[in-house]
Amino acid sequence: MIVTSPGQMGELGRRLAKLLRAGDLVMLSGELGAGKTTLTRGLGEGLGVRGAVTSPTFVIARVHPALGDGPPLVHVDAYRLGGGLDEMEDLDLDVSLPESVIVVEWGEGKVEELTDDRLMVRIHRAVGDTTDEVRHVSLAGLGERWDGTDLGVLSA
Ligand SMILES: Nc1ncnc2c1ncn2[C@@H]1O[C@H](COP(=O)(O)OP(=O)(O)OP(=O)(O)O)[C@@H](O)[C@H]1O
Ligand SMILES: [Mg+2]
């Protein structure tokens, strides 16, 4: 799908939030400035969690508690997470991961062991496009959790 502005990326996050439930892992890939955090911000709005989603520069993970009765959002920036999951467990997040929605930036090769089921979101800057605002987003659900989930509703 094609996203042409930061606002549309946020909207995609808000729509995606409606598909998510406790225990879900979303992995975001895409280069620096692709729009991973922008998407996560919309997701946080859609989930109705506390606190603005920002780029966690000095923290690896931030917990956004639910304002209503939905799951909290755990936003992980695994860029500096060298050792993978063990290190993440060492972060001592005051939250139960199976009861949260976990969104990970830069998580490839680091957090896959959290669960067999995950939603992969890849964001590409369109090379050669006339406007650098354009992003191509592709989504793929892996595992039983995502079997039969129609991700097409997100581009509607
Ligand atoms: N279509 C678009 N979708 C998302 N962001 C866009 C788009 N067009 C322009 N932008 C801009 O690109 C930047 C994306 O920044 P963002 O922090 O979301 O990226 P990121 O992938 O999280 O980067 P990092 O790897 O550094 O964490 C923002 O400044 C945003 O305004
Ligand atoms: Mg980011």
Side-chain angles (χ1 to χ4, degrees):
M1 112 191 37
I2 291 175
V3 170
T4 56
S5 67
Q8 245 187 45
M9 190 65 87
E11 178 56 29
L12 175 60
R14 286 190 290 277
R15 270 187 264 138
L16 179 56
K18 296 194 178 73
L19 295 183
L20 295 175
R21 56 185 191 229
D24 283 345
L25 172 66
V26 180
M27 286 184 57
L28 304 178
S29 68
E31 70 254 49
L32 286 166
K36 302 180 291 297
T37 300
T38 304
L39 180 83
T40 309
R41 189 170 301 131
L43 232 160
E45 289 164 10
L47 288 173
V49 297
R50 194 193 314 150
V53 170
T54 57
S55 285
T57 309
F58 296 108
V59 290
I60 287 169
R62 189 170 282 147
V63 179
H64 296 272
L67 291 168
D69 48 17
L73 170 66
V74 180
H75 179 205
V76 181
D77 190 331
Y79 197 74
R80 280 165 305 274
L81 197 69
L85 198 60
D86 295 343
E87 232 176 285
M88 192 169 143
E89 279 163 356
D90 288 347
L91 295 176
D92 230 352
L93 297 173
D94 191 17
V95 69
S96 151
L97 295 180
E99 288 169 16
S100 308
V101 167
I102 308 166
V103 177
V104 186
E105 302 186 32
W106 299 106
E108 293 84 357
K110 297 175 183 172
V111 300
E112 283 85 353
E113 47 194 299
L114 269 178
T115 163
D116 290 336
D117 301 301
R118 57 186 183 271
L119 183 66
M120 312 285 300
V121 181
R122 296 191 178 82
I123 307 175
H124 296 284
R125 246 200 211 109
V127 179
D129 250 2
T130 45
T131 157
D132 61 2
E133 299 256 303
V134 172
R135 305 288 193 269
H136 291 270
V137 182
S138 59
L139 298 114
L142 302 183
E144 230 173 275
R145 156 68 177 96
W146 293 100
D147 273 357
T149 301
D150 181 14
L151 297 171
V153 298
L154 294 169
S155 38

